[in-house]
Amino acid sequence: MDNRKESEKNLFVGLPDSEILHLLTTISRELVCLHEPDGTYIYVSPNSEKIIGYKSEELIGKNPYDYFHPDEKRLIQERSHQPLLRGEENIHSTFRFLHKDGRYIWLQSDNRLTIHPTTGKKYLHTSSRDISEKMDTEANLALAERRFKTLFHDSPIGLVLTGGHGYIDETNEAFAKFLGYQSYEVVGKHFTEISSVDELEENLKFRDEVQKGIIDNYSIEKQYIHKTGKKVWAYLTVTVLRDDLGHPIHYLAQIIDINERKKNETLLREKNDRLRAATNSYLTQNKQLQAYNQIISHHLRAPVSNLRSLLDLMKESDQLKEVKEIESHLENVAENLETVLSELITTLKIQNSDQFQPEPVNIEQSFDKVLRLLNGEIKSKQAEIQYNFSSANTVYFSKDFLETIFLHLLSNSLRYADTDRKLRISVESFPIGAQTTISFSDNGIGIDLERYGDQIFQLRKTFHRHISGKGLGLFLIKYKMESIGGKIEVRSKPGEGATFLMYFPERSDSE
Amino acid sequence: MTPKICVIDDDTIYQFTTKKIISNAGIKEDVLLFSDAENALEFFHKESQNKDKLPDIIFLDINMPFMDGWQFLDAYGKISPTFPKPIVIFLVSSSVDEADTDRAAKIPMISGYIFKPFTKEKLLDSLAHLQS
């Protein structure tokens, strides 16, 4: 080039091109170099110290291969250097370069083959920038992703990633195994497909609150449906991932298997219930024994002491007429004793719970049978009897006991009818919680409960003069009800009638 | 003086033997007999100021239908302070249940608790209370 000197002077700033180049490259982030075809530096821009730590003069005459990371030397040779020499246009390469301070930095280069316009000699032109920071971020991201994947897939806790609509995008081995599936079988299912309906409402309520942005996470105990169909308990914690507008994109669910714990809890609760039932039954038995003591005291000792008195009088007596009278009394006492003993035996039979096996008893069938038994008396008294057992038609009880109870109550109602009005009897059953309750009402003469309230279910108590009653029925009914853990209550007002309420306990699973 | 005796008990055989025991003990006075505590109460209301009709001693049964001995005592206690003479009360029962004897011990107007069978000895022991 002849007029080279001339052209070196820049027309605008009055500086030679080399100085302008120097100015430009000093402030540039790009490291511009010119290499021999084998790579040897023949020009290094003055900003090199800033980028790679070496002054330009330190590198001139050196070969960059001495600075490349050993792992990438071959790659640069094959992917960048040789293609360049073969004439490929523009090659980008990313590689690690040994900084003067001893660490490798990531450089990204644009590489070209340059041919000297006059000599035709080939040079390599590289323009490089430090991308270490970017590489670090990417590496960190990749690492974070890897960490997350590892954490996700290898976690012993069940993890599920669902999309905003509730379909499962990803799941780990632990969760799949918990439900008896392979991971790929779970992916794509809607979470409600594998959830038990029992806690679904609660689950959806929380999800709704998350969607509305009220809460960001929630925890519940719920049951999933195992592949085999059985339900399994889990402790679920759900965290939401939102987009910039606050809409949920993903839900990350952590599922802890608490099936064993729940099973133990249930077992414990059942044992507790059984224990409580046993305690209650002991308390009842204790109360019944006390009542028994009373019965024996009053009803058995009384005829026995009469017997003793009569025998003493007989010994003293010297008149035949008197002896005859005493004999007739003795007969009465003997009869009385027999009655009391048979009553005691009846109650003892009830107490002997081994003989009592509760079974589902159809209330209406039992009541019908009793109606037929008392049909004559019902007709003669012109009693109107209404009954409805449609809302609870079964009690877990003994058929015999239920019939005896109906027989006693119905006989009582017929016996204690108010002669001034038509006798109406109404019998109904209904559920109260898990119990079945039977109410038995009449519009008879009623009982003065203020006066007899504490005696009504005692043995041999009658509350109405001129009407014969043995006073055994209600006592036995109470015994029967209590022996199964039920109870009986009475509501009554004199002149208005009486209502008996009988509570039959639910069927216990342990039986 | 011959004591006037009142027996309140629903048991007819007990009534019979008690009457006999009393007459065998040589007491000539007729026994006031009530099978029903409520009838007895009516009597005490009616004769509350009649010294001659009121008894000196009551043998009261605990366990009776309609109104039992305890209920009788409640009602009786309200009218007895106006009586023109003191009346001794003995509870008579076949019950050996401590619940009954304990309950009786807490009632001051009861002078004693007699376990059935009622005998001549028990009668004479309780009549001894009248002199003191």
Side-chain angles (χ1 to χ4, degrees):
Chain A
M1 209 190 237
D2 296 334
N3 51 356
R4 192 170 159 211
K5 287 276 173 217
E6 279 297 300
S7 65
E8 267 189 9
K9 273 260 204 253
N10 190 287
L11 295 171
F12 300 102
V13 281
L15 285 171
D17 282 352
S18 59
E19 282 176 37
I20 287 179
L21 183 69
H22 188 84
L23 265 177
L24 287 175
T25 53
T26 307
I27 57 158
S28 170
R29 283 169 183 269
E30 297 272 320
L31 174 70
V32 181
C33 302
L34 213 58
H35 309 259
E36 295 284 3
D38 71 348
T40 309
Y41 289 108
I42 47 176
Y43 173 80
V44 175
S45 62
N47 57 358
S48 65
E49 197 178 355
K50 259 194 334 210
I51 300 167
I52 50 175
Y54 308 97
K55 289 191 169 68
S56 14
E57 50 269 33
E58 283 182 82
L59 291 177
I60 307 286
K62 299 271 170 56
N63 196 301
Y65 278 94
D66 297 332
Y67 301 91
F68 293 149
H69 191 280
D71 288 357
E72 276 126 25
K73 278 181 188 168
R74 213 182 122 177
L75 214 67
I76 293 170
Q77 176 76 28
E78 286 175 0
R79 301 269 173 88
S80 179
H81 201 162
Q82 284 173 355
L84 215 59
L85 293 175
R86 282 201 300 269
E88 276 187 37
E89 278 292 295
N90 192 4
I91 290 180
H92 304 283
S93 57
T94 304
F95 53 91
R96 276 168 289 179
F97 191 89
L98 185 63
H99 192 278
K100 202 186 174 182
D101 65 13
R103 72 193 157 95
Y104 281 98
I105 60 168
W106 281 97
L107 292 183
Q108 190 179 56
S109 289
D110 301 331
N111 311 311
R112 280 169 195 281
L113 184 71
T114 308
I115 299 171
H116 196 280
T118 46
T119 62
K121 225 184 139 190
K122 285 178 180 173
Y123 299 103
L124 302 177
H125 172 274
T126 62
S127 178
S128 312
R129 62 211 76 96
D130 182 357
I131 58 156
S132 298
E133 209 172 294
K134 186 178 160 237
M135 288 299 280
D136 278 354
T137 318
E138 273 175 14
N140 280 343
L141 266 175
L143 193 65
E145 178 78 16
R146 268 213 316 277
R147 270 196 209 126
F148 176 74
K149 290 270 181 210
T150 310
L151 211 61
F152 190 90
H153 288 288
D154 299 344
S155 166
I157 293 172
L159 292 173
V160 172
L161 203 62
T162 54
H165 295 291
Y167 288 96
I168 295 169
D169 288 339
E170 216 169 340
T171 181
N172 69 352
E173 186 71 14
F175 182 69
K177 205 174 145 198
F178 172 52
L179 291 192
Y181 289 103
Q182 298 293 329
S183 314
Y184 66 83
E185 292 180 291
V186 181
V187 173
K189 283 192 194 301
H190 196 268
F191 83 93
T192 55
E193 280 179 64
I194 48 164
S195 300
S196 154
V197 287
D198 301 84
E199 296 83 25
L200 205 53
E201 200 177 319
E202 190 191 9
N203 200 157
L204 289 170
K205 188 194 76 149
F206 277 122
R207 230 182 128 80
D208 196 40
E209 284 179 20
V210 168
Q211 253 153 18
K212 286 180 184 154
I214 301 168
I215 52 170
D216 275 331
N217 55 67
Y218 61 90
S219 299
I220 56 167
E221 284 184 359
K222 67 177 274 186
Q223 293 173 92
Y224 283 96
I225 300 163
H226 191 272
K227 196 176 181 180
T228 57
K230 67 177 183 191
K231 291 175 185 174
V232 277
W233 276 102
Y235 182 77
L236 166 77
T237 301
V238 174
T239 320
V240 64
L241 253 80
R242 297 182 191 283
D243 64 12
D244 291 342
L245 294 168
H247 302 307
I249 323 166
H250 283 299
Y251 295 93
L252 179 64
Q254 302 172 56
I255 297 110
I256 299 170
D257 178 357
I258 56 164
N259 205 38
E260 276 303 305
R261 199 199 83 199
K262 274 288 190 183
K263 271 203 315 220
N264 288 339
E265 255 179 39
T266 315
L267 215 67
L268 214 62
R269 200 177 309 117
E270 277 171 11
K271 277 189 181 158
N272 229 339
D273 285 350
R274 241 173 276 156
L275 212 62
R276 200 173 297 123
T279 311
N280 279 341
S281 116
Y282 283 130
L283 284 175
T284 307
Q285 278 183 13
N286 213 357
K287 269 196 338 221
Q288 291 187 343
L289 278 175
Q290 277 174 12
Y292 233 70
N293 202 6
Q294 281 272 346
I295 293 164
I296 291 169
S297 267
H298 285 294
H299 302 290
L300 209 54
R301 280 200 89 249
V304 170
S305 65
N306 278 341
L307 208 61
R308 166 60 50 206
S309 298
L310 289 169
L311 287 172
D312 283 349
L313 287 175
M314 210 174 198
K315 271 186 254 167
E316 276 181 41
S317 180
D318 44 11
Q319 295 170 40
L320 187 66
K321 193 187 152 213
E322 209 175 70
V323 172
K324 283 279 171 210
E325 193 183 1
I326 292 169
E327 269 176 5
S328 79
H329 284 308
L330 277 172
E331 239 166 75
N332 285 338
V333 174
E335 234 169 72
N336 189 355
L337 262 175
E338 273 170 7
T339 314
V340 172
L341 275 176
S342 80
E343 284 170 7
L344 282 175
I345 289 163
T346 312
T347 46
L348 269 175
K349 267 190 195 154
I350 300 167
Q351 278 208 318
N352 191 352
S353 56
D354 287 348
Q355 292 193 346
F356 176 79
Q357 290 297 329
E359 50 178 353
V361 180
N362 185 291
I363 303 170
E364 188 156 345
Q365 278 173 13
S366 295
F367 191 68
D368 275 341
K369 191 173 166 190
V370 174
L371 281 181
R372 282 198 301 276
L373 272 172
L374 294 178
N375 192 30
E377 230 181 306
I378 292 165
K379 274 197 174 145
S380 75
K381 293 238 174 187
Q382 292 184 311
E384 184 188 306
I385 300 175
Q386 288 181 328
Y387 57 93
N388 183 358
F389 305 115
S390 56
S391 58
N393 52 28
T394 321
V395 285
Y396 289 91
F397 200 43
S398 141
K399 211 171 145 199
D400 283 353
F401 282 7
L402 188 65
E403 282 165 15
T404 317
I405 287 176
F406 279 142
L407 192 67
H408 279 306
L409 290 178
L410 204 55
S411 311
N412 273 356
S413 289
L414 291 165
R415 184 179 295 142
Y416 302 112
D418 192 324
T419 44
D420 292 345
R421 58 174 175 255
K422 186 180 174 69
L423 175 61
R424 285 177 214 279
I425 295 168
S426 138
V427 192
E428 254 180 279
S429 66
F430 45 90
I432 292 181
Q435 294 196 324
T436 296
T437 305
I438 299 180
S439 83
F440 191 107
S441 306
D442 65 35
N443 64 341
I445 54 179
I447 304 156
D448 186 351
L449 288 180
E450 272 182 44
R451 196 166 156 185
Y452 299 123
D454 58 336
Q455 300 176 19
I456 188 157
F457 293 111
Q458 285 180 23
L459 185 62
R460 293 242 172 152
K461 290 286 179 182
T462 49
F463 310 103
H464 301 284
R465 291 186 176 79
H466 323 301
I467 302 172
S468 68
K470 280 201 296 177
L472 182 64
L474 289 178
F475 169 77
L476 285 185
I477 293 175
K478 184 174 160 30
Y479 249 60
K480 284 177 178 164
M481 291 306 294
E482 283 180 355
S483 66
I484 55 148
K487 61 174 180 177
I488 178 164
E489 285 173 1
V490 60
R491 286 163 202 176
S492 181
K493 269 188 185 157
E496 288 179 19
T499 297
F500 288 91
L501 286 165
M502 288 160 285
Y503 301 90
F504 294 84
E506 66 180 305
R507 176 188 214 167
S508 141
D509 286 337
S510 59
E511 276 162 357
Chain B
M1 148 227 171
T2 317
K4 201 174 175 64
I5 298 171
C6 170
V7 172
I8 307 172
D9 199 310
D10 64 311
D11 182 343
T12 48
I13 293 165
Y14 168 80
Q15 288 176 7
F16 167 80
T17 54
T18 307
K19 264 200 311 196
K20 275 268 177 254
I21 288 163
I22 291 167
S23 80
N24 285 359
I27 295 165
K28 298 277 180 284
E29 181 90 43
D30 270 348
V31 178
L32 263 174
L33 257 179
F34 296 100
S35 302
D36 184 319
E38 233 166 359
N39 293 343
L41 203 59
E42 273 166 35
F43 169 86
F44 283 103
H45 264 291
K46 200 176 137 214
E47 310 292 353
S48 67
Q49 298 312 312
N50 195 339
K51 205 174 168 180
D52 292 339
K53 289 275 173 83
L54 288 174
D56 299 298
I57 186 162
I58 302 170
F59 294 107
L60 174 68
D61 184 25
I62 296 173
N63 195 48
M64 289 178 284
F66 314 124
M67 178 184 257
D68 66 15
W70 309 114
Q71 288 171 324
F72 172 83
L73 283 171
D74 272 352
Y76 173 88
K78 283 176 193 139
I79 54 169
S80 59
T82 68
F83 291 170
K85 68 173 186 183
I87 302 175
V88 174
I89 302 177
F90 278 86
L91 281 184
V92 187
S93 175
S94 58
S95 171
V96 287
D97 194 332
E98 273 179 30
D100 288 334
T101 49
D102 288 352
R103 188 170 170 187
K106 287 186 188 116
I107 303 173
M109 63 180 151
I110 296 172
S111 298
Y113 192 107
I114 297 171
F115 294 114
K116 286 179 181 176
F118 192 71
T119 60
K120 191 174 166 185
E121 290 70 36
K122 287 174 185 171
L123 169 71
L124 295 176
D125 277 353
S126 45
L127 288 178
H129 279 256
L130 294 178
Q131 271 82 46
S132 59

